[in-house]
Amino acid sequence: MIVSIESSCDDSSIAITEIATKKVLYHKKISQEAQHACYGGVVPELASRLHAVALPQILEETKPWFDKLKAVAVTNQPGLGVTLLEGIAMAKTLATLLNIPLIPVHHLKGHIYSLFIEKPTHSPMLILLISGGHTMVIRVESFEKMEILATSMDDSVGESFDKTAKMMGLGYPGGPIIEQLALKGDENRFDLPVPLRNSKLIAFSLSGLKNAVRLEIERLGGAEAMSEQERCDLAASFQKAVKLHLLQKSKKIFKNEPVKDFAIVGGASANQYIRNAYETLCKEFGKHLHVAPLEYCSDNAAMIGRYAIDAYEKKQFATPDKVDLIVTKKQQQGALL
Ligand code: KG4
Ligand code: ZN
């Protein structure tokens, strides 16, 4: 069995996965959403301290499996430096104490493997990854050969939902809040710009749309002055613009990519409105749409454990002194992922 640890952002999660059957024997996640909600986003220092409390609590419950463990897997990049460190420190200690190998896991590969929890892997595939930190289309030729075909030039999809909710004073995380409000709204009420609509670029951009939402809120007299219906209509109009943007760029990619299997992964892939739109697009292009079960769309240790099974079979191990966190300059400044 493999114990896997995920702490790249605001979810403390640990899973136990059986190597031979790929079965998830144990999985727990303690989310910090409530503690970050009043700030409208994740506060890295607070997140790190909450991981320091939650991770040992969860680990305690996995003790019955300790004597059967063959490896410890841990997310080591990308993510918030101070929160990744909590998981990495725990993983290094466990691997040393139990004298078993360590498997460092790239968080985004973990999201891709959320498609294969308790299942065999599948390739080639085209993947749309929409999370709080990333927006990209990846061609997975094989799991050794992945190519990024398009990426966001600024904000990610999840981030744009979070910021829209924050501007309307609605809490964090914004994705599920906006999706729920949009169900009661008129998506044609506000004419928000579809990003890069007239550009040939195969890329994503969400910051202009965010600014348009900000201006619309100002025009309505500010978040406090908005009626419930205005909030619902703005949420729906925003979500529609995001959908049209994603679909427009995906269409361009689909035209050149014969790969028949397409998947959406990452926290924002839980959005049913976006899923439905891709269901229709995939039918049009003769592609088969794959999504992960809802419980594994957002950050979780089960996807890290699933990746680790393949890494274990390929003996992709590291020793505790070699597992380090990889932090970019942007992340040092506290940016999400
Ligand atoms: O994958 P994830 O848990 O963390 C990162 O790796 O970033 O994604 C979290 C993001 C948040 O920005 C959250 O607002 C967004 O996923 N999200 C959604 C929905 N549920 C979560 N975005 C849109 N619609 C949703 N239903
Ligand atoms: Zn994630």
Side-chain angles (χ1 to χ4, degrees):
M1 288 160 203
I2 292 179
V3 61
S4 51
I5 304 168
E6 159 64 39
S7 68
S8 65
C9 191
D10 60 340
D11 294 297
S12 315
S13 182
I14 298 183
I16 304 279
T17 313
E18 192 170 47
I19 298 167
T21 61
K22 303 180 176 43
K23 284 243 169 307
V24 180
L25 303 180
Y26 172 93
H27 176 233
K28 187 157 181 176
K29 163 161 137 171
I30 297 182
S31 219
Q32 309 173 354
E33 286 166 2
Q35 289 92 334
H36 296 289
C38 61
Y39 303 102
V42 178
V43 181
E45 174 66 25
L46 173 62
S48 151
R49 279 189 271 144
L50 291 168
H51 282 304
V53 176
L55 285 174
Q57 267 174 19
I58 309 176
L59 190 70
E60 190 66 31
E61 293 179 18
T62 66
K63 275 192 174 159
W65 288 281
F66 270 23
D67 59 344
K68 299 196 180 69
L69 293 178
K70 295 280 183 233
V72 185
V74 63
T75 305
N76 76 323
Q77 60 161 321
L80 294 172
V82 286
T83 65
L84 282 166
L85 269 178
E86 295 295 334
I88 292 172
M90 173 174 270
K92 284 183 176 186
T93 311
L94 262 181
T96 307
L97 283 175
L98 301 173
N99 197 23
I100 52 177
L102 257 178
I103 302 175
V105 182
H106 192 288
H107 182 76
L108 303 188
K109 290 183 182 167
H111 273 302
I112 294 175
Y113 270 75
S114 67
L115 297 166
F116 311 126
I117 291 172
E118 304 198 332
K119 281 190 200 162
T121 53
H122 180 89
S123 64
M125 248 193 183
L126 275 182
I127 311 265
L128 171 69
L129 190 154
I130 41 177
S131 68
H134 294 84
T135 293
M136 48 176 69
V137 177
I138 306 158
R139 189 203 294 119
V140 178
E141 206 60 55
S142 69
F143 293 95
E144 280 73 43
K145 196 166 171 235
M146 302 192 197
E147 191 185 341
I148 296 173
L149 303 179
T151 186
S152 175
M153 303 191 296
D154 39 62
D155 293 352
S156 71
V157 167
E159 197 177 1
S160 72
F161 274 81
D162 294 339
K163 288 183 177 166
T164 294
K166 186 177 180 182
M167 287 186 286
M168 288 201 268
L170 297 173
Y172 171 87
I177 302 173
I178 296 290
E179 186 182 9
Q180 284 310 308
L181 283 187
L183 290 174
K184 297 175 275 172
D186 171 6
E187 64 178 21
N188 298 315
R189 162 105 182 255
F190 298 101
D191 190 20
L192 298 173
V194 177
L196 305 178
R197 181 192 254 156
N198 300 314
S199 161
K200 288 206 170 78
L201 274 180
I202 300 188
F204 302 102
S205 169
L206 278 310
S207 67
L209 176 59
K210 173 185 68 185
N211 208 35
V213 170
R214 186 179 61 77
L215 293 174
E216 207 57 68
I217 295 172
E218 275 175 21
R219 209 181 53 76
L220 294 164
E224 295 82 35
M226 285 172 75
S227 69
E228 182 61 14
Q229 195 54 51
E230 282 169 339
R231 280 196 195 102
C232 294
D233 293 346
L234 190 56
S237 304
F238 159 77
Q239 190 175 243
K240 179 185 167 198
V242 174
K243 173 194 79 175
L244 292 176
H245 176 42
L246 290 174
L247 290 183
Q248 193 203 8
K249 297 304 172 187
S250 301
K251 259 187 198 173
K252 283 191 194 294
I253 294 173
F254 279 14
K255 280 184 188 150
N256 298 320
E257 292 291 334
V259 179
K260 287 278 170 241
D261 290 283
F262 173 77
I264 324 177
V265 299
S269 72
N271 186 297
Q272 199 55 51
Y273 176 83
I274 293 177
R275 284 185 177 204
N276 292 346
Y278 271 97
E279 191 75 64
T280 309
L281 187 75
C282 284
K283 273 201 192 111
E284 193 186 310
F285 281 83
K287 296 200 190 292
H288 180 57
L289 177 67
H290 302 256
V291 285
L294 281 181
E295 64 176 314
Y296 298 132
C297 289
S298 59
D299 292 349
N300 67 85
M303 67 188 194
I304 304 302
R306 179 61 188 90
Y307 177 88
I309 293 178
D310 284 17
Y312 180 84
E313 279 158 1
K314 292 179 206 152
K315 297 206 172 358
Q316 288 169 347
F317 303 140
T319 50
D321 60 317
K322 293 278 158 45
V323 176
D324 229 326
L325 100 135
I326 300 173
V327 189
T328 64
K329 204 156 189 199
K330 195 176 158 204
Q331 289 158 16
Q332 274 169 6
Q333 290 155 359
L336 253 185
L337 298 184

